[in-house]
Amino acid sequence: MEGRVALSDLNHLEVHPSVSALERDVERILITEQEIQDMLRHLGDRISEDYEGRDLLLVGVLKGAFVMMADLSRYIRLPVDMDFMAVASYGASTKTSGVVRILKDLDHDIEGRDVLLVEDIIDSGLTLNYLLKNLRGRRPATLEVCTLLKKTGIQRVDIDVRYCGFEIPPEFVIGYGLDFAEKFRNLPYIATLRPEAYRDA
Ligand code: IMP
Ligand code: MG
């Protein structure tokens, strides 16, 4: 083994040029990969207990929630169905418009089902508020929300969130499904973006 270095000992930023290009615009890591996984395991345990014997349908809100959905669902020790909705709230801008468009609707009929809506982040809450109203109209047996992140103190609507991973300050964040101008979704952690990156976009 002499003269050999385990890959895990190396700073991956120096080893892997493609990773370096991705992480160049990261300012600060707010929540590490390990912290996210620990939290999702905890939420998965709670969900597994709460929905035992029920008819659980996980509904992921695209695109942001696809990463979380993949990890969270594997911490749920129950048979679950999965479906996705795609909505557009805002494009490259970092401010919410309050205008929500459904780009892709559910494949499942949710009447009588136990629906758990999986979101990446609640910012103003307008997107979620719209979705909850829309889904409630389809008469599910139950409808709850699981979000990885919630920004503190800036919700414009009052939303009852059964499962919440982390509360974060009202800053724009990237990673773990969250994008800026469609980039950074594949970072395994939650971070803030260097101010220069906004200007360059
Ligand atoms: P809301 O309607 O203001 O709650 O915004 C909800 C959606 O906006 C989220 O599902 C995200 O797609 C996006 N979003 C809100 N805050 C952020 C952020 O800090 N980074 C990246 N996307 C965000
Ligand atoms: Mg989203």
Side-chain angles (χ1 to χ4, degrees), residues 90 96 119-121 123-127 151 172-173 178-179:
Y90 40 92
T96 197
E119 253 288 28
D120 48 4
I121 190 165
D123 184 356
S124 69
L126 292 172
T127 305
K151 293 189 188 174
F172 191 80
V173 291
L178 291 160
D179 72 305

Side-chain angles (χ1 to χ4, degrees), residues 15 32 54-55 67 71 76-77 84 107 128 135 138 141 146 148 159 165 172 178 180 185 192 197:
V15 177
T32 66
R54 309 290 290 273
D55 182 21
V67 181
D71 284 342
I76 299 175
R77 300 174 314 275
F84 292 93
D107 297 331
L128 195 57
L135 294 179
R138 308 182 197 191
C146 178
L148 181 66
I159 295 174
F172 191 80
L178 291 160
F180 172 65
R185 295 190 197 274
T192 56

Side-chain angles (χ1 to χ4, degrees), residues 60-186:
V61 184
L62 295 173
K63 300 174 193 166
F66 84 98
V67 181
M68 169 172 177
M69 184 89 157
D71 284 342
L72 176 70
S73 63
R74 284 175 291 177
Y75 292 122
I76 299 175
R77 300 174 314 275
L78 298 171
V80 294
D81 287 7
M82 294 187 219
D83 207 341
F84 292 93
M85 280 180 95
V87 298
S89 41
Y90 40 92
S93 153
T94 58
K95 287 235 171 60
T96 197
S97 64
V99 178
V100 179
R101 269 190 312 144
I102 294 185
L103 305 177
K104 183 221 168 287
D105 207 339
L106 297 175
D107 297 331
H108 291 70
D109 179 2
I110 61 169
E111 184 168 351
R113 305 290 310 266
D114 291 300
V115 177
L116 180 58
L117 198 60
V118 179
E119 253 288 28
D120 48 4
I121 190 165
I122 303 178
D123 184 356
S124 69
L126 292 172
T127 305
L128 195 57
N129 195 45
Y130 173 88
L131 279 176
L132 287 173
K133 259 195 212 139
N134 181 295
L135 294 179
R136 229 174 260 130
R138 308 182 197 191
R139 298 155 37 94
T142 62
L143 179 60
E144 300 291 346
V145 177
C146 178
T147 185
L148 181 66
L149 306 171
K150 183 176 171 183
K151 293 189 188 174
T152 49
I154 57 165
Q155 277 78 52
R156 293 205 248 155
V157 277
D158 195 24
I159 295 174
D160 187 21
V161 178
R162 168 78 64 92
Y163 309 96
C164 177
F166 303 93
E167 298 219 352
I168 59 167
E171 283 180 88
F172 191 80
V173 291
I174 51 166
Y176 203 74
L178 291 160
D179 72 305
F180 172 65
E182 293 298 326
K183 295 283 193 306
F184 307 108
R185 295 190 197 274
N186 55 328

